[in-house]
Amino acid sequence: MSQSVQIKNALISVYYKDNLEPIIHELNRLGVNIYSTGGTETFIRDLGVDVIAVEDLTSYPSILGGRVKTLHPKVFGGILSRRGLDSDAQQLEQYAIPEIDLVIVDLYPFEETVNSGAGQEDIIEKIDIGGISLIRAAAKNFKDVVIVASKNDYRILEDILKSQDGATTIDQRRTFAQKAFNISSNYDTHIFQYFDQTEPMPVFKQSIQTSQTLRYGENPHQKGTFYGNLDAMFTKLNGKELSYNNLVDVDAAVALIDEFTEPTFAILKHTNACGIASRLHTKEAWIDALACDPVSAFGGVLIANAEICEATALEIDKIFYEVLIAPAYTDDALKVLTAKKNRIVLIRNRVELPNKQFKTLLNGVIEQDKDLVVEGPGQMKSVTDKLATTEELKDLYFANKVVKHTKSNTIVFAKNSQLMASGVGQTSRVDSLKQAIIKAESFGFDLKGAVMASDAFFPFPDCVEIAADAGITAVLQPGGSIKDQDSINMCNQKGIAMVTTGVRHFKH
């Protein structure tokens, strides 16, 4: 196997020319013959460096509006020839094909064009044919050829050219090839996803180019990695790196807070809200959110949907928390919040989030649409003799948003746009209800006049009876049980209102 290979001939044809100039000058210094096409060829000539047009090598012009430029045996033969094979060397000599030792090629911006909202014709023209073929050919023949398929690697190549005088090692070429196949597979995945408009045969394909190694997974003995661009999602102002568990809670926090438009503060622990309130001002929202369960709030993830001022920051600073997220902070607030170096403070940037969710399970993957529905007063159907008041409907809407983002089985109590208590993740809905009542009472909440929301229907009337005896005056549930009437009858007997929504919000 060839180890060190000296670059004698290079093919360069790129869409992005950022930081390419130093490489051109270095190749010129080393006496490397450069072949190129189109705009890249012009770019090289304008630098005062000699360049050979690919058309002169192939004796064929660029045709079909530029769709065919490099697809020719004199190009691919020079890339794919096996240097140690006499028969390959003889054919190169026979057909006057130069060995190409370096290929610098990138791809048309297909994904960016799709995301820009461009029309189909523009998108189709961004499906690269020659570039992807050159990348695969050079990467396949990494034993003898260097492939650089991204402008992100130009600096690395420049350093190699300078420090090794145009020679490359097998390990360097293998690493470049690995990166190249990552780029080509990611590119093909996005093209497939664009064409995957119908579902004759569902296929699971995902490709994310950026990643971040986490300190560990859920527990210290588990490895953890985040695939994605956290820097696009958040601007970190203070604190250590986000952990695996932080990220799981932050994801839940973002999903919950996005349900609210009025100033709202939420506190989450293990993906469940242990406090949330909507108020006219963020400070009041924080105080009332914390009042729900100040014990569970310790070490939690805090999130607001409005700017945090100094007065709010001073209140927040009274407790220990892991992560704080908001769209903005005043300068005075940041002085308070960044005084403790380990507490993570994030600005949330507006980034479009995916509408699909997936996770590994058994020997495969399950995927689903995100639950993007939440039913307001307009979708609440009254099913009892007593009708819910306007204020109760407002609180039921608030409670229904919280229910949607709370582990099943769940029961949520709310009043005046404030979470009073919730029972979460129980195997019995009655247990969730009893847990919620105990928590509300332990923190001094009077449930008289509060509302209750459930993530699924009541198969028996016991939950309604217990809730009514605790002071609940209105109940929301999706409905759909063959025994719905039993719960409705219990509401009528207790003199409380019930509405159904027709939508279930299980969260496993």
Side-chain angles (χ1 to χ4, degrees), residues 3-298:
Q3 294 298 314
S4 179
V5 171
Q6 188 71 33
I7 297 171
K8 303 179 293 296
N9 300 300
L11 172 65
I12 307 175
S13 181
V14 296
Y15 188 89
Y16 297 104
K17 298 169 183 66
D18 316 50
N19 300 316
L20 181 62
E21 181 177 348
I23 292 175
I24 301 300
H25 288 307
E26 197 60 30
L27 292 173
N28 186 51
R29 178 186 71 81
L30 293 167
V32 174
N33 298 313
I34 301 175
Y35 297 86
S36 190
T37 63
T40 308
E41 179 189 345
T42 302
F43 175 82
I44 296 171
R45 288 193 194 282
D46 288 345
L47 294 176
V49 174
D50 290 338
V51 58
I52 304 167
V54 167
E55 290 93 330
D56 293 339
L57 171 65
T58 63
S59 300
Y60 259 91
S62 172
I63 62 173
L64 306 180
R67 280 189 165 194
V68 180
K69 292 184 292 233
T70 57
L71 296 169
H72 193 280
K74 281 204 171 183
V75 174
F76 282 86
I79 295 171
L80 286 166
S81 66
R82 293 155 290 189
R83 307 311 195 246
L85 200 62
D86 290 341
S87 58
D88 282 11
Q90 291 169 6
Q91 287 187 323
L92 291 186
E93 184 177 359
Q94 178 183 357
Y95 296 110
I97 299 174
E99 292 179 344
I100 295 176
D101 316 293
L102 168 65
V103 176
I104 304 177
V105 178
D106 58 12
L107 300 170
Y108 293 149
F110 178 84
E111 186 181 357
E112 293 88 339
T113 305
V114 172
N115 292 337
S116 73
Q120 185 181 72
E121 185 174 344
D122 289 337
I123 291 171
I124 296 302
E125 287 307 311
K126 291 298 185 293
I127 298 177
D128 207 314
I129 303 301
I132 201 82
S133 301
L134 290 167
I135 288 172
R136 289 177 63 83
K140 174 179 180 176
N141 204 24
F142 71 91
K143 291 181 183 179
D144 300 302
V145 180
V146 181
I147 171 62
V148 177
S150 169
K151 62 181 181 180
N152 296 328
D153 290 329
Y154 288 175
R155 297 284 190 193
I156 299 172
L157 176 62
E158 182 186 351
D159 290 343
I160 290 173
L161 294 175
K162 287 180 177 179
S163 62
Q164 298 171 201
D165 284 330
T168 61
T169 68
I170 185 65
D171 289 339
Q172 289 168 339
R173 296 193 297 278
R174 183 189 293 274
T175 298
F176 278 124
Q178 179 187 18
K179 291 181 177 182
F181 281 124
N182 178 35
I183 288 169
S184 66
S185 63
N186 177 71
Y187 195 75
D188 284 340
T189 296
H190 285 288
I191 293 173
F192 168 79
Q193 289 172 339
Y194 172 74
F195 280 96
D196 190 29
Q197 306 294 327
T198 59
E199 298 184 4
M201 185 180 69
V203 174
F204 180 81
K205 288 183 184 291
Q206 290 289 331
S207 180
I208 300 174
Q209 290 288 76
T210 54
S211 66
Q212 178 177 327
T213 301
L214 305 174
R215 295 195 301 274
Y216 50 80
E218 276 184 293
N219 300 289
H221 63 276
Q222 296 170 271
K223 292 182 179 179
T225 306
F226 173 79
Y227 296 95
N229 187 357
L230 282 177
D231 291 338
M233 184 84 192
F234 302 108
T235 300
K236 185 160 75 74
L237 303 177
N238 192 70
K240 55 191 177 182
E241 295 301 319
L242 289 162
S243 69
Y244 182 100
N245 291 332
N246 288 155
L247 288 170
V248 173
D249 284 331
V250 166
D251 176 68
V254 166
L256 173 60
I257 204 70
D258 280 353
E259 302 286 0
F260 300 88
T261 55
E262 60 276 32
T264 301
F265 223 117
I267 307 167
L268 284 88
K269 200 72 172 287
H270 303 301
T271 74
N272 296 306
C274 56
I276 182 168
S278 298
R279 295 291 182 263
L280 292 176
H281 302 288
T282 308
K283 178 183 174 182
E284 285 70 32
W286 162 254
I287 291 171
D288 288 344
L290 180 62
C292 176
D293 186 349
V295 174
S296 295
F298 181 87

Side-chain angles (χ1 to χ4, degrees), residues 174-439:
R174 183 189 293 274
T175 298
F176 278 124
Q178 179 187 18
K179 291 181 177 182
F181 281 124
N182 178 35
I183 288 169
S184 66
S185 63
N186 177 71
Y187 195 75
D188 284 340
T189 296
H190 285 288
I191 293 173
F192 168 79
Q193 289 172 339
Y194 172 74
F195 280 96
D196 190 29
Q197 306 294 327
T198 59
E199 298 184 4
M201 185 180 69
V203 174
F204 180 81
K205 288 183 184 291
Q206 290 289 331
S207 180
I208 300 174
Q209 290 288 76
T210 54
S211 66
Q212 178 177 327
T213 301
L214 305 174
R215 295 195 301 274
Y216 50 80
E218 276 184 293
N219 300 289
H221 63 276
Q222 296 170 271
K223 292 182 179 179
T225 306
F226 173 79
Y227 296 95
N229 187 357
L230 282 177
D231 291 338
M233 184 84 192
F234 302 108
T235 300
K236 185 160 75 74
L237 303 177
N238 192 70
K240 55 191 177 182
E241 295 301 319
L242 289 162
S243 69
Y244 182 100
N245 291 332
N246 288 155
L247 288 170
V248 173
D249 284 331
V250 166
D251 176 68
V254 166
L256 173 60
I257 204 70
D258 280 353
E259 302 286 0
F260 300 88
T261 55
E262 60 276 32
T264 301
F265 223 117
I267 307 167
L268 284 88
K269 200 72 172 287
H270 303 301
T271 74
N272 296 306
C274 56
I276 182 168
S278 298
R279 295 291 182 263
L280 292 176
H281 302 288
T282 308
K283 178 183 174 182
E284 285 70 32
W286 162 254
I287 291 171
D288 288 344
L290 180 62
C292 176
D293 186 349
V295 174
S296 295
F298 181 87
V301 169
L302 322 179
I303 189 165
N305 62 358
E307 182 180 66
I308 293 179
C309 64
E310 181 185 22
T312 308
L314 288 169
E315 291 294 326
I316 295 170
D317 201 50
K318 294 176 181 178
I319 75 162
F320 167 72
Y321 57 88
E322 284 277 349
V323 185
L324 172 62
I325 309 165
Y329 306 84
T330 66
D331 291 341
D332 290 336
L334 283 179
K335 289 178 183 177
V336 175
L337 298 169
T338 59
K340 298 180 176 68
K341 64 177 183 178
N342 285 331
R343 294 184 185 177
I344 302 168
V345 179
L346 305 174
I347 293 177
R348 181 186 172 188
N349 305 316
R350 278 295 161 187
V351 173
E352 186 176 352
L353 299 175
N355 291 330
K356 294 280 189 179
Q357 296 173 312
F358 60 88
K359 65 179 179 180
T360 58
L361 186 148
L362 300 175
N363 62 341
V365 173
I366 53 174
E367 181 184 68
Q368 67 171 354
D369 298 331
K370 271 189 179 177
D371 185 356
L372 299 175
V373 175
V374 65
E375 312 76 50
Q379 292 78 45
M380 296 177 189
K381 177 184 176 182
S382 296
V383 293
T384 49
D385 297 336
K386 182 181 178 182
L387 302 180
T389 66
T390 300
E391 194 60 33
E392 286 171 336
L393 288 172
K394 180 182 176 183
D395 282 337
L396 287 169
Y397 184 32
F398 178 93
N400 198 27
K401 292 177 181 180
V402 180
V403 155
K404 174 183 166 183
H405 296 277
T406 308
K407 289 285 187 182
S408 301
N409 288 317
T410 183
I411 293 289
V412 166
F413 295 147
K415 186 177 181 181
N416 297 329
S417 298
Q418 178 187 19
L419 175 65
M420 304 185 80
S422 60
V424 306
Q426 301 300 308
T427 53
S428 161
R429 197 162 302 279
V430 173
D431 287 343
S432 292
L433 173 60
K434 291 178 178 178
Q435 180 190 64
I437 292 173
I438 291 170
K439 292 197 75 171

